[in-house]
Amino acid sequence: MPCVADWLNNPFSIVQGIFAQNVPNSDWEKKVTEYFKEKLKENNATNWVPSLNDVPVHYLKPNSLVKFRCMVQDMFDPEFYMGVYETVDPNTNARVLHFGKYRDVAECGPQQEIDLNSSQTVTSERQTFYCVPVPGESAWVKEISFLTDQARVSPSTSYTPSRHKRSYEEDEDMDLHPSKQKEQHMGSGGDIHGCVEPKRLETEASAGHHLISPNCSPPLDLNFPLPGEKGPACLVKVYESWDNFKVNDVLEVYGILSVDPVLSIVNNEERDSSALDPMECMDTAEEQRVHSPPASLVPRIHVILAQKLQHINPLLPACLNEEESKTFVSNFMSELSPVRAELLGFLTHALLGDSLAAEYLILHLISTVYARRDVLPLGKFTVNLSGCPRNSIFTEHIYRIIQQLVPASYRLQMTIENMNHSRFIPHKDYAANRLVSGVLQLASNTSLVVDETQLEQGQLDTTGVHNVTALGNLITWQKVDYDFSYHQMEFPCNINVLITSEGRSLLPSDCQVHLQPQIIPPNMEEYMNSLLTAVLPSVLNKFRIYLSLLRLLDYSISDEVTKAVEEDFVEMRKNDPESITADDLHRTLLVARFLSLSAGQTTLSRERWLRAKQLEALRKVRLQQQKCVNGNEL
């Protein structure tokens, strides 16, 4: 069992020991990283580390080891710090070397002073990332992660051992002080760890929470991309290989938690002094406020280990290349057929008995951008599910079902109000020197459900037009052009977009499937709710593993099959030159790709190609029938 008292509760004692033993050499830093890497491999030790995703900041012991699953929302300028410094006792002239790594504030004893002119001083550089919880992370991901960690966290790792570990949601309901509740009625509410219940905060802005702090005025915006998000924002300080990380990457970091109240005092003094003498500080007051928020609201994590996550599904191994993971994958693949059949049946019921739409929904949910050829993203498969009942709770329930299946998602209601007043595109605020988030700043593999059935007649203003254009670019090119005032910067993305609409969508799509309900339930709410309650949790977990795993598999087409497909396409063109285009070939190949993967096959077979052609033919016939019924194009 890992020794909780040392490396978990008091990591500085470990660092100090390694530093003291190796102080003349510069490889002490590498030895610290190696030590913690080895410790975390022992006996599921990662589950012993408290997570900021689950535990409110004020329950965690300052300077203890913590972990955080997050998305990089912004990247600040690199900062210099004293990696090694020397203190001197003025009375005895005794000198002591200290490490400054993993600290915000240099430490020195009561009878000691820092010798700024010491030849032993080493100035180093670190990179600060502003990180937020993964936008739109599903409740089941949080719950499973919480239960996995909670089962193995020792009470002694908590700052207040007498209190049980609780999730953010529970903590909000139970620990809000009356004074804080008073603030909420004034429209500015929040608690010490930056979590606000959306229903309690009616005036909440669309891009994140506003928190009142005695040290910050006006309120601090935590800059979450999606409205109503919970959890902490953190300043994550990275010491090695920070070039590997970029904005919108999803990371899991292990590091030392810093919530030193001195930071707030220091930052206040800096702001006061710079107000008196602007020449002393190049940063604006606004920039200081945003880049140095109170640690009680935005804690710091000094990273010892960090990794980019392939996915955030807690039911899957984090890295699929390891030996143990390969066993997990092969075991699951052996029972893939019944899982697919059950998922198809489940989605068919959800789509009111339409099995063709359910097939396409599975293909959509396992699609992913696997490569880019010049500007063209390969593998994107945006589906427009038309024929959805207007102003019905049907689309809301379809989203709820998708939410139960994928690790991260968001439902964008395409109303005139939302289009004109929401901030979709992130933009650079030069006064605060930060990237202000927008709804389209999402992590890779997020499912975005655009509900067009909510759209009514009205006028789009300039913002609305920009937002619709941005959505179109996201769908077509899988990129979002962030607004840097003087220029636009292209950020590639990998977002699964499903559009629900009554007629053909106003937005572009790769594939339109017209819904043909076979069942009209008398009570839609009751029908949809009963679907989810009828599925066993173990079966639901298999669906979740199925959809996440298949997106990560490699796929190829042999030369022999490629030649057969080309010949088949030439034959199709001969028989029907008017309606068969290059786009049809591209779409059928995509359908064949995801159809193969959905059956656990990583190469295309003749059988799957024929099945893909059959599905496409059925889909087109259905669209043609609808066109004849309506007398206009869908």
Side-chain angles (χ1 to χ4, degrees):
M1 188 178 90
C3 182
V4 172
D6 289 343
W7 65 274
L8 194 55
N9 252 0
N10 189 10
F12 275 138
S13 66
I14 303 294
V15 180
Q16 177 59 47
I18 295 171
F19 175 74
Q21 287 171 15
N22 301 273
V23 74
N25 309 319
S26 57
D27 64 348
W28 70 271
E29 298 175 69
K30 198 181 288 182
K31 287 185 177 178
V32 168
T33 308
E34 287 303 317
Y35 176 90
F36 283 95
K37 196 179 281 183
E38 288 305 312
K39 276 291 174 191
L40 288 167
K41 282 180 186 172
E42 291 176 15
N43 191 27
N44 283 334
T46 53
N47 295 328
W48 287 75
V49 183
S51 171
L52 269 174
N53 299 91
D54 305 327
V55 191
V57 176
H58 60 266
Y59 285 156
L60 294 168
K61 183 181 175 185
N63 300 327
S64 63
L65 191 73
V66 295
K67 65 183 174 186
F68 186 37
R69 185 178 62 255
C70 56
M71 184 188 84
V72 178
Q73 190 277 320
D74 197 3
M75 192 171 159
F76 294 162
D77 295 331
E79 61 185 36
F80 293 103
Y81 70 99
M82 289 191 294
V84 177
Y85 60 95
E86 194 171 34
T87 58
V88 60
D89 187 325
N91 301 322
T92 63
N93 269 345
R95 291 177 171 270
V96 182
L97 270 185
H98 302 263
F99 64 90
K101 195 175 182 179
Y102 310 124
R103 297 188 192 277
D104 283 303
V105 181
E107 280 204 343
C108 69
Q111 299 299 318
Q112 292 179 324
E113 293 174 0
I114 296 174
D115 182 359
L116 296 173
N117 299 313
S118 168
S119 59
Q120 303 273 22
T121 302
V122 177
T123 303
S124 303
E125 191 181 9
R126 61 191 175 197
Q127 178 67 57
T128 303
F129 294 100
Y130 186 85
C131 294
V132 296
V134 178
E137 189 176 72
S138 298
W140 64 266
V141 173
K142 291 180 169 71
E143 190 181 335
I144 293 170
S145 302
F146 176 65
L147 292 173
T148 307
D149 292 340
Q150 190 184 37
R152 295 179 176 84
V153 169
S154 160
S156 62
T157 65
S158 173
Y159 189 44
T160 314
S162 60
R163 302 178 78 169
H164 292 292
K165 177 179 170 186
R166 290 203 300 268
S167 69
Y168 270 97
E169 286 79 357
E170 290 172 330
D171 191 66
E172 281 167 14
D173 291 336
M174 298 170 77
D175 284 333
L176 278 172
H177 301 295
S179 60
K180 299 292 179 187
Q181 289 174 342
K182 199 171 177 181
E183 282 173 7
Q184 286 175 351
H185 289 301
M186 290 157 35
S188 60
D191 66 2
I192 195 166
H193 49 273
C195 304
V196 182
E197 191 81 34
K199 66 187 176 191
R200 291 206 184 113
L201 187 54
E202 292 168 11
T203 58
E204 184 175 54
S206 62
H209 301 161
H210 295 289
L211 295 159
I212 287 287
S213 155
N215 302 315
C216 289
S217 180
L220 184 70
D221 176 5
L222 288 185
N223 213 8
F224 293 148
L226 300 177
E229 292 279 275
K230 295 189 184 76
C234 287
L235 290 179
V236 172
K237 295 181 185 271
V238 181
Y239 292 85
E240 286 100 17
S241 310
W242 59 73
D243 290 342
N244 296 340
F245 308 134
K246 58 186 186 299
V247 169
N248 302 338
D249 278 351
V250 175
L251 312 178
E252 183 160 59
V253 300
Y254 291 83
I256 298 173
L257 176 69
S258 172
V259 285
D260 198 328
V262 172
L263 287 172
S264 303
I265 299 162
V266 169
N267 295 331
N268 269 355
E269 285 173 355
E270 278 179 11
R271 278 196 280 276
D272 294 343
S273 64
S274 63
L276 294 170
D277 185 359
M279 296 307 290
E280 278 190 18
C281 185
M282 295 297 288
D283 298 345
T284 63
E286 180 63 15
E287 184 173 347
Q288 281 187 11
R289 194 176 72 84
V290 166
H291 286 236
S292 304
S296 57
L297 295 181
V298 182
R300 279 66 163 160
I301 299 177
H302 293 268
V303 174
I304 296 174
L305 294 169
Q307 61 172 342
K308 225 189 286 193
L309 294 180
Q310 278 184 298
H311 64 85
I312 57 164
N313 188 335
L315 298 165
L316 247 67
C319 182
L320 295 176
N321 300 329
E322 294 169 2
E323 268 327 298
E324 289 175 27
S325 306
K326 286 176 182 172
T327 310
F328 173 88
V329 172
S330 60
N331 287 345
F332 188 80
M333 296 299 273
S334 65
E335 56 175 58
L336 204 70
S337 258
V339 175
R340 189 194 194 282
E342 275 189 273
L343 178 59
L344 182 63
F346 175 66
L347 291 178
T348 300
H349 284 300
L351 294 167
L352 308 178
D354 189 341
S355 58
L356 181 68
E359 280 277 9
Y360 274 93
L361 186 53
I362 289 177
L363 305 187
H364 163 76
L365 290 172
I366 63 169
S367 68
T368 187
V369 176
Y370 61 87
R372 289 180 189 266
R373 189 166 296 152
D374 296 325
V375 294
L376 194 68
L378 305 178
K380 74 181 181 73
F381 194 57
T382 298
V383 169
N384 172 206
L385 185 65
S386 59
C388 295
R390 185 172 178 76
N391 293 329
S392 156
I393 55 166
F394 170 74
T395 49
E396 185 187 332
H397 280 281
I398 288 298
Y399 172 64
R400 281 189 193 169
I401 282 166
I402 289 172
Q403 217 177 6
Q404 287 294 325
L405 298 174
V406 300
S409 61
Y410 182 62
R411 178 181 176 226
L412 179 58
Q413 298 183 62
M414 204 171 167
T415 61
I416 294 291
E417 173 78 12
N418 277 348
M419 293 295 108
N420 287 343
H421 295 104
S422 296
R423 189 169 62 221
F424 280 24
I425 306 163
H427 71 271
K428 181 76 172 182
D429 177 351
Y430 286 96
N433 191 19
R434 73 161 172 178
L435 183 67
V436 178
S437 64
V439 168
L440 297 184
Q441 187 175 9
L442 299 170
S444 194
N445 296 326
T446 302
S447 284
L448 179 64
V449 178
V450 180
D451 190 355
E452 214 179 277
T453 63
Q454 307 281 322
L455 196 60
E456 292 176 347
Q457 284 189 339
Q459 186 71 40
L460 286 176
D461 61 17
T462 311
T463 304
V465 171
H466 282 315
N467 284 340
V468 172
T469 305
L471 260 180
N473 285 338
L474 167 67
I475 291 165
T476 307
W477 307 111
Q478 283 293 317
K479 69 178 179 101
V480 179
D481 294 323
Y482 290 15
D483 181 6
F484 281 74
S485 294
Y486 310 107
H487 64 99
Q488 290 189 322
M489 194 177 285
E490 214 174 85
F491 281 76
C493 53
N494 185 4
I495 310 296
N496 274 24
V497 185
L498 174 70
I499 307 160
T500 56
S501 60
E502 190 181 17
R504 183 178 183 171
S505 172
L506 303 172
L507 296 166
S509 67
D510 297 302
C511 178
Q512 183 192 353
V513 181
H514 195 79
L515 188 69
Q516 278 191 356
Q518 307 299 308
I519 313 158
I520 306 294
N523 187 327
M524 185 73 75
E525 180 95 29
E526 204 175 278
Y527 175 81
M528 288 296 200
N529 285 337
S530 66
L531 270 178
L532 277 173
T533 50
V535 184
L536 291 169
S538 58
V539 174
L540 206 50
N541 282 345
K542 282 182 181 178
F543 293 166
R544 291 160 177 167
I545 294 168
Y546 174 89
L547 294 174
S548 293
L549 181 59
L550 296 184
R551 301 183 82 169
L552 300 167
L553 296 181
D554 292 323
Y555 173 85
S556 60
I557 306 178
S558 66
D559 294 341
E560 189 186 337
V561 174
T562 302
K563 193 180 176 192
V565 166
E566 284 171 358
E567 288 169 0
D568 201 1
F569 180 66
V570 169
E571 200 62 38
M572 286 159 68
R573 287 275 288 171
K574 274 184 192 171
N575 297 336
D576 193 356
E578 293 297 313
S579 59
I580 303 293
T581 64
D583 283 345
D584 289 304
L585 173 64
H586 177 68
R587 189 187 305 107
T588 312
L589 279 168
L590 263 184
V591 170
R593 176 190 182 91
F594 299 127
L595 206 52
S596 302
L597 287 172
S598 75
Q601 297 175 2
T602 54
T603 55
L604 179 60
S605 63
R606 177 79 182 159
E607 181 196 351
R608 295 291 158 196
W609 170 250
L610 293 174
R611 176 64 178 149
K613 280 172 59 181
Q614 183 190 17
L615 283 179
E616 277 294 277
L618 289 169
R619 184 184 68 82
K620 285 180 180 176
V621 165
R622 190 179 282 194
L623 285 179
Q624 200 59 40
Q625 286 171 348
Q626 194 62 29
K627 187 176 173 182
C628 294
V629 169
N630 286 0
N632 56 17
E633 192 181 349
L634 273 170

